[in-house]
Amino acid sequence: MSLLLFTGLVGIGAFSAGMLGALTGLGGGMVIVPMLTILFHVDLRYAIGASLVSVIATSSGAAAAYVKEGYTNVRVGMLLEVATTLGALGGAYLAGRIGTGAIAVIFAIVLLYSAYRSTKPLAEHVMAQDDDPLSRRLRLASTYPTRKGLQPYGVKAVPAGFSLMLVAGVLSGLLGIGSGALKVLAMDQLMHLPFKVSTTTSNFMIGVTAAASAGIYLSRGYIDPGLALPVMLGVLAGALVGARILAGANTMVLRRIFAAVIIALALEMAYKGIRGGL
Amino acid sequence: MDPASARAPEGRRPPGARARWTDEQVDQLLGNLLRIGVIVATIVAVIGGVLLLAQRGLAPASGHVFTGEPPELRSVGGILRAVAAGHPDAIVQLGLVLLIATPVARVAMSLVAFILQRDRIYIVVTTIVLALLIFSLTGGIPG
């Protein structure tokens, strides 16, 4: 295959992944790595490097729109970034130490978990009061815009959220994904942030987390410009188009389709990881 | 409805600090910074990509064989030298490095904002995050 054809096909694949990722809210990073390794037979390390770059592009691109809407909690984001960047450095370090087969199997487990998670809606628990002493000390409580005007909210379980963020960071650095699903889980299920705040704050953090591991991938020679460019452009364009058509789309049906795709990719990844085909 | 009109900026100022910058102004600035970063990085990478394809578009793609990138594409210094020498893959890599630097610049801007707000706890928190990022980008952990 010539470089021109390869670039075009990877770009189209990345565009589809970015669009589906935006429409389902799961992010394109989840399917980019399996797509590149299984469909295009790209080495797993190059695939992860390219995916990290695309994760940064979509996170920064979307954050530019989100931050302006006033939902993002910069203090919560910055505090938890201490955990995610530490985790990401650890994950990127591990990625160079353990074999690609083991990484593929871990990837498959994370994919299956995300597929399971994506079809189960979570309950929102917003607290109007900020009773948690640690949250008060760190001034994490804030307000977010709703139809009824600005709504105050409190934050709880900061140490538990922080710990889960360490795990999210490790997975991000090891697998080249945003770990958005885990970040949202920590923020709205453990720390009780409103959905809109946890989603946008998580997005805000994803770019910083990915940048922490991308530096290490770059210095190891895992970021290939010829591969990372079409992946990054495709995912970014797909995410922008996906966000435009999001209003009015039936996301539950899309989520189920996406979950099915993810399960198929996960099984293929696990099989290849165990058999040693990556 | 316009969320901007419904905001009460005073409500989110840290108590006791006479902040010259409100959290909202910081948010706006950060949003613009991220957008500009992504646009500039994309333009640089696309220019490199066009040159790369013009030069090697018909050669076979080699992404499936892992050899690791050559040393000049692994560090900021090496990339800049290769850009000066006119290597298209180094121009793409420069665009990618700019993209990686965008969130780092965002953290640096947050640090400036917290300093202006005299928010001690978050000056420390943000400095830790920034230090970890710089540690990574300067090749802090050997392969």
Side-chain angles (χ1 to χ4, degrees), chain A residues 195-211:
Chain A
F195 279 158
K196 278 182 171 164
V197 177
S198 71
T199 313
T200 52
T201 306
S202 154
N203 176 75
F204 177 74
M205 297 168 58
I206 283 172
V208 176
T209 312

Side-chain angles (χ1 to χ4, degrees), chain B residues 38-89:
Chain B
V38 173
I39 292 171
V40 171
T42 308
I43 291 172
V44 173
V46 167
I47 291 172
V50 170
L51 293 171
L52 184 70
L53 286 177
Q55 209 176 75
R56 271 186 259 157
L58 299 175
S62 58
H64 55 289
V65 190
F66 184 78
T67 47
E69 293 308 304
E72 71 261 26
L73 293 182
R74 291 186 185 203
S75 66
V76 177
I79 292 167
L80 288 177
R81 278 191 295 277
V83 168
H87 295 174
D89 46 1

